[in-house]
Amino acid sequence: MKKGEVVVIGAGFAGFSAAICLANKGFNVKILEKNPTIGGRARQFTDSGFTFDMGPSWYWMPDVFESFFNQFGKTTADYYELIRLDPSYQVIHGKNDYMPIPANMHELERLFDSIELGAGEQLRKFLKIAEYKYEVGINKFVYKPSRSILEFANPKLAVDAVRLQIFQSMAKHVRKFFKNDRLIQLMEFPVLFLGALPENTPAMYSLMNYADMALGTWYPKGGMFKIIEALESLAKEKGVEILTDHEVTSINYSGKRATSVSTNHGDFKSDVVVAGADYHHVDSMLLDSETRNYDETYWDKRVMAPSSLLYYVGVNKKLEGLLHHNLFFDTDFAPHAHNIYTDPKWPEKPLFYVSAPSKTDNTVAPKGCENIFMLIPVAPGLDDTEDIRAHYFDLMLERMKDRMGLDFKENIVFKRSFAHKDFVNDYNAFKGNAYGLANTLNQTAILKPQLANKKLNNLFYTGQLTVPGPGVPPSLISGQVVAKEIIKDFG
């Protein structure tokens, strides 16, 4: 029996996750997506023979994906082929100065020992603690809806919380184990995905190091969009209806219940609404002032994760020396970080990231060519012009030429950029953010924007601006968490 009509706004990871879980429990689910293609930030496009993932490019925490599909009697292998990358990635420190990060743990320990005496043993100790955090954090905390402090009113959870080191900073924790600047930088790098500086990120998130170094860096052949295709396939199998080019313009209500959503193609009645679109946009633009969770003052005080300046580049030759993932840590991060978090402006000497999936996958570029994804993390809310985009593109090309001897400007046969204006236009992203809300201590668990609307008892939020936070695995978890709450309340 169908239990009611559910409208899910947004066909990204969180929206699909919630839709599948609800449809599996008998709800009649429709997904309304404003763009012509599904995937949200994980969309994909093809041009000139190249296939580009538009957003996420790192496949970490494979157990989260496996666990999701296992609920429905499936495995990831039913949908896509996973390849473990080895080296996992490389760090470029300067001219002809590269540090590949081996996937094998013994090789990784030897690398650490070669940089700092005894660091291999310290890495083992560090990752042992991180493993505990990963197991407890994922199994006991991340899947909690964080609707009440009482969820955590358990003596065992209190002990776990202390052992998770939620009141100690990641920066302080790392420096207890390592002294070398390069190793410190390497251990702090994963938390940058969480949208805050290591000194403002709880040490609990060393669990990201465990995900990185123990669980490994993977790649789904064909690109990250293969995960979206898998979710689409499973959703349709469960009876979910997916409507693209359906932009939601308002959420309508009567009393304390959302009754329908209006789109550019008409209205859709709903017993439950799940907003997988940008939380701020839903709250401030799709609801009236009487039914919003938060006002603009609240949102202006939120610490946002960075936005990104992105380039999708097709090159008509192979580029020797690049790996699938390449981190250019070839200049001091402090000034760049200052321009993201303290004094928001375009950085003078940014660190940046280059992905070359064609190094692993010959299906994403024509033969003899290279598929390049380039990213600079930048502050949200900046003015974004074509001149600025051109400047930073040339800057990255010059740094790649100087550090790695890669000279390919004349070999570029396709280029497209994406930045703040595009994040706003395509995703209604608050301040043009790319990753969501920063995972600072003051924005953790119950201190995040709530997943349930306080005025309408059948409106829920999911995605990177609510629990558990930014990233692909957390978004997949977010959909499951909100679905569980809906099933509890309405199932």
Side-chain angles (χ1 to χ4, degrees):
M1 288 181 61
K2 293 297 180 183
K3 297 179 179 177
E5 301 287 332
V6 177
V7 170
V8 176
I9 305 171
F13 283 108
F16 266 118
S17 174
I20 292 166
C21 292
L22 290 169
N24 188 60
K25 290 297 184 179
F27 289 89
N28 188 30
V29 184
K30 286 185 178 68
I31 298 178
L32 306 179
E33 168 58 49
K34 76 179 284 287
N35 290 307
T37 57
I38 61 171
R41 284 166 168 78
R43 290 180 299 162
Q44 191 179 76
F45 74 93
T46 59
D47 201 308
S48 306
F50 298 89
T51 300
F52 295 99
D53 283 323
M54 294 191 68
S57 60
W58 293 78
Y59 193 106
W60 276 356
M61 302 168 69
D63 55 311
V64 172
F65 297 91
E66 203 61 54
S67 174
F68 177 82
F69 287 106
N70 288 170
Q71 297 175 67
F72 312 104
K74 308 286 186 179
T75 70
T76 55
D78 293 329
Y79 300 102
Y80 51 84
E81 177 190 349
L82 276 179
I83 302 167
R84 183 164 186 178
L85 303 183
D86 188 11
S88 299
Y89 50 92
Q90 71 176 343
V91 182
I92 292 88
H93 289 291
K95 191 177 182 69
N96 299 320
D97 185 3
Y98 324 143
M99 185 169 69
I101 306 303
N104 180 277
M105 188 57 65
H106 294 300
E107 292 179 21
L108 184 61
E109 290 171 3
R110 283 197 293 271
L111 172 66
F112 272 57
D113 278 330
S114 71
I115 296 171
E116 179 182 317
L117 186 64
E121 175 63 24
Q122 289 295 90
L123 177 63
R124 279 195 293 277
K125 293 178 181 177
F126 184 96
L127 291 180
K128 186 66 177 175
I129 297 170
E131 180 181 12
Y132 168 81
K133 293 176 184 176
Y134 188 89
E135 296 300 330
V136 172
I138 296 298
N139 295 324
K140 294 187 180 180
F141 285 89
V142 175
Y143 284 88
K144 286 191 174 296
S146 298
R147 297 177 75 174
S148 167
I149 190 67
L150 296 178
E151 294 171 30
F152 304 92
N154 178 308
K156 179 65 170 66
L157 285 181
V159 172
D160 286 334
V162 172
R163 291 185 64 190
L164 287 173
Q165 300 176 305
I166 61 174
F167 300 112
Q168 183 181 124
S169 77
M170 183 68 178
K172 185 176 181 181
H173 179 59
V174 168
R175 283 162 179 77
K176 288 182 178 179
F177 292 84
F178 308 102
K179 305 302 180 189
N180 181 274
D181 287 341
R182 289 192 175 187
L183 295 184
I184 290 171
Q185 188 179 53
L186 179 63
M187 300 307 287
E188 290 181 342
F189 138 70
V191 304
L192 298 178
F193 284 104
L194 303 173
L197 290 172
E199 50 263 41
N200 297 325
T201 301
M204 175 180 77
Y205 290 107
S206 65
L207 64 85
M208 295 288 286
N209 298 106
Y210 179 76
D212 168 11
M213 294 173 171
L215 301 182
T217 301
W218 300 77
Y219 172 76
K221 188 172 182 180
M224 295 291 285
F225 191 69
K226 287 295 179 183
I227 313 165
I228 293 294
E229 290 180 336
L231 294 171
E232 177 190 28
S233 175
L234 183 55
K236 288 181 176 178
E237 181 182 320
K238 297 297 178 181
V240 176
E241 185 178 0
I242 304 164
L243 301 173
T244 55
D245 279 317
H246 277 63
E247 181 170 8
V248 175
T249 54
S250 68
I251 297 173
N252 311 308
Y253 67 97
S254 176
K256 294 184 176 182
R257 291 182 65 83
T259 55
S260 66
V261 299
S262 297
T263 75
N264 53 338
H265 291 290
D267 292 357
F268 293 83
K269 291 183 178 180
S270 57
D271 296 302
V272 179
V273 177
V274 180
D278 182 272
Y279 196 132
H280 170 266
H281 172 74
V282 173
D283 220 33
S284 63
M285 301 302 293
L286 305 188
L287 297 171
D288 63 25
S289 58
E290 300 300 314
T291 54
R292 293 170 188 162
N293 266 3
Y294 307 103
D295 59 19
E296 287 303 312
T297 302
Y298 171 88
W299 286 108
D300 285 338
K301 291 180 179 178
R302 296 312 93 193
V303 178
M304 302 304 298
S307 185
S308 294
L309 173 54
L310 308 170
Y311 302 90
Y312 314 99
V313 182
V315 181
N316 67 3
K317 70 174 185 178
K318 302 303 286 185
L319 301 178
E320 298 302 321
L322 279 184
L323 299 184
H324 190 119
H325 296 299
N326 309 268
L327 303 168
F328 282 78
F329 288 176
D330 54 323
T331 188
D332 185 8
F333 181 52
H336 186 181
H338 181 76
N339 293 151
I340 295 176
Y341 300 104
T342 308
D343 179 23
K345 63 182 179 182
W346 289 98
E348 183 179 348
K349 296 180 179 179
L351 281 69
F352 61 95
Y353 159 67
V354 176
S355 177
S358 48
K359 292 294 182 185
T360 305
D361 186 353
N362 60 14
T363 70
V364 299
K367 187 176 181 180
C369 297
E370 215 77 274
N371 174 319
I372 304 296
F373 171 89
M374 305 164 73
L375 179 154
I376 299 177
V378 290
L382 300 180
D383 288 332
D384 164 26
T385 68
E386 291 304 317
D387 285 345
I388 288 172
R389 296 187 188 197
H391 166 74
Y392 282 100
F393 186 69
D394 288 341
L395 180 151
M396 283 193 284
L397 291 186
E398 283 301 313
R399 293 252 293 275
M400 293 173 74
K401 180 179 179 180
D402 178 73
R403 274 49 164 182
M404 304 188 73
L406 295 173
D407 187 1
F408 60 94
K409 188 171 186 177
E410 301 304 316
N411 298 93
I412 293 172
V413 293
F414 176 81
K415 184 182 81 168
R416 175 180 172 185
S417 61
F418 197 97
H420 301 74
K421 289 187 294 189
D422 303 297
F423 280 105
V424 172
N425 291 337
D426 288 10
Y427 313 126
N428 295 310
F430 181 49
K431 296 184 178 180
N433 81 84
Y435 300 103
L437 207 63
N439 266 350
T440 62
L441 178 58
N442 292 328
Q443 294 180 163
T444 296
I446 61 170
L447 300 179
K448 288 185 183 294
Q450 292 289 294
L451 63 73
N453 187 278
K454 302 171 186 176
K455 317 291 177 53
L456 303 175
N457 61 20
N458 62 338
L459 170 59
F460 296 82
Y461 305 84
T462 188
Q464 59 185 11
L465 285 174
T466 184
V467 291
V472 175
S475 292
L476 204 61
I477 292 169
S478 181
Q480 296 172 74
V481 170
V482 80
K484 187 175 180 180
E485 292 301 291
I486 292 167
I487 292 163
K488 184 175 70 176
D489 291 353
F490 298 94

